[in-house]
Amino acid sequence: MKPISDIFPFLEEPKNIVITFHQKPDADAMGSGLGLYNFLIQFGHKVTVISPTNWASFLKWMPGAKKVINFETQNDKAMKALAEMQWLFCLDFNVLSRVKNMEAPIREINCTRILIDHHQQPEVAAFDYGISDTDKSSTAEMVYDFIVNSGNIKKINTDVSECLYAGVMTDTGSFRFDSTSAGVHRMVAQLKDAGLNHSQVHENLFDNFLENRFRFFGNILLNRMEIFYEYNTALIAIPQQDLIKYNVKTGDTEGIVNFPLSIKGIKLAAVIIDRGDERKSSFRSKGGFDVNTFARKYFNGGGHFNAAGGKNTETLEEVVKKFKEAIKENKEQLNS
Ligand code: 5GP
Ligand code: MN
């Protein structure tokens, strides 16, 4: 993978570009993708944003979101854009399996593949150019760096700033995580200068949920949360029947894993959700417990040191059993 700065001289030549990101995109995936989209269209490129799956309704306000193609439900349109692309930007994921059914076309179609990502152990062999930096708070921050370093700071307009702010704000836990460097705050100052209305972005992201989501939270906190004080660990295991009963939609489960992490003494919080086709897990830790390694070892996943996820094909009961055995094996680290 060659440095991303090698493509700067070619930015001005109009071309067909596709931007994609990980399945079930969060605000950083969608925000970095649409931030880059709103930047690149200013050069006259034909830019298509393709999401491997559907996305949460709280992301639909983002400038350009209405043009995003869902690979699963608009497959013909997506395949046509992929067949015509010259450049492909892959944002906010480290391994190609994170784009689900888009993996095969991405591997096979002849184009220049460019990675911008902050996850650990990226599959660098799959990319021609790119930047991977695990010290970065968010992919949105990296897209901001890409724009600034290519000499195009003046192209950061209100649309770009809203998308990038959504990514950096959510991936830093509203500027609370260690990854929130002075550079992150300088970036936000620059976005404000470019016309960002940050309180509107917070409202768009956090104040548009339906009542059912909070009834669902009430249910899982009361009935599905187990605390293992011996291991400083909390687990919420959610059966599929709960998702059906409370009409839970994509995005409604985001943030659940943070509830148990707020309990005094808890160092590891996990949520395992039976989504029907797979058991999806989310892990968060405080301090020195490495959930990236934990997710890789037991749950076919990965991510960051303090935030990771995984997926399993076994039943929910089996995955829960696996989790309980895994924390026993890691007792020493969870108690240190
Ligand atoms: P979340 O728990 O919010 O879904 O994900 C936390 C972090 O772990 C994110 O950075 C996400 O990209 C990563 N992650 C989540 N699930 C998986 C997975 O199945 N595989 C890998 N490699 N990373 C994941
Ligand atoms: Mn991210």
Side-chain angles (χ1 to χ4, degrees), residues 36-105:
L36 184 63
Y37 166 84
N38 286 302
F39 166 67
L40 291 173
I41 54 172
Q42 298 176 54
F43 293 91
H45 300 301
K46 185 180 169 209
V47 189
T48 310
V49 182
I50 306 178
S51 172
T53 64
N54 67 344
W55 51 93
S57 58
F58 62 75
L59 301 175
K60 292 183 179 163
W61 60 271
M62 283 188 191
K66 285 194 180 69
K67 295 199 178 122
V68 179
I69 296 174
N70 178 339
F71 183 78
E72 289 183 331
T73 58
Q74 299 168 279
N75 191 258
D76 290 349
K77 221 172 156 182
M79 286 306 289
K80 188 167 179 287
L82 290 170
E84 289 171 356
M85 71 187 164
Q86 293 159 288
W87 278 8
L88 169 68
F89 281 92
C90 293
L91 305 184
D92 204 36
F93 63 88
N94 50 353
V95 287
L96 283 177
S97 59
R98 295 279 287 142
V99 295
K100 223 178 165 181
N101 298 330
M102 255 175 90
E103 178 174 356

Side-chain angles (χ1 to χ4, degrees), residues 288-303:
F289 189 74
D290 175 7
V291 286
N292 172 46
T293 303
F294 186 77
R296 273 172 193 275
K297 188 165 174 196
Y298 306 98
F299 302 95
N300 315 306

Side-chain angles (χ1 to χ4, degrees), residues 58 169-170 174 201-209 213-214:
F58 62 75
M169 183 264 286
T170 53
S174 303
V201 174
H202 285 254
E203 201 175 308
N204 292 342
L205 285 169
F206 299 132
D207 299 343
N208 274 310
F209 293 108
R213 181 174 187 246
F214 296 93

Side-chain angles (χ1 to χ4, degrees), residues 22 26 28-29 92 117-119 137-140 167 171 304:
H22 61 77
D26 58 4
D28 188 37
D92 204 36
D117 179 53
H118 65 137
H119 293 88
S137 64
S138 54
T139 304
D171 255 29
H304 311 282

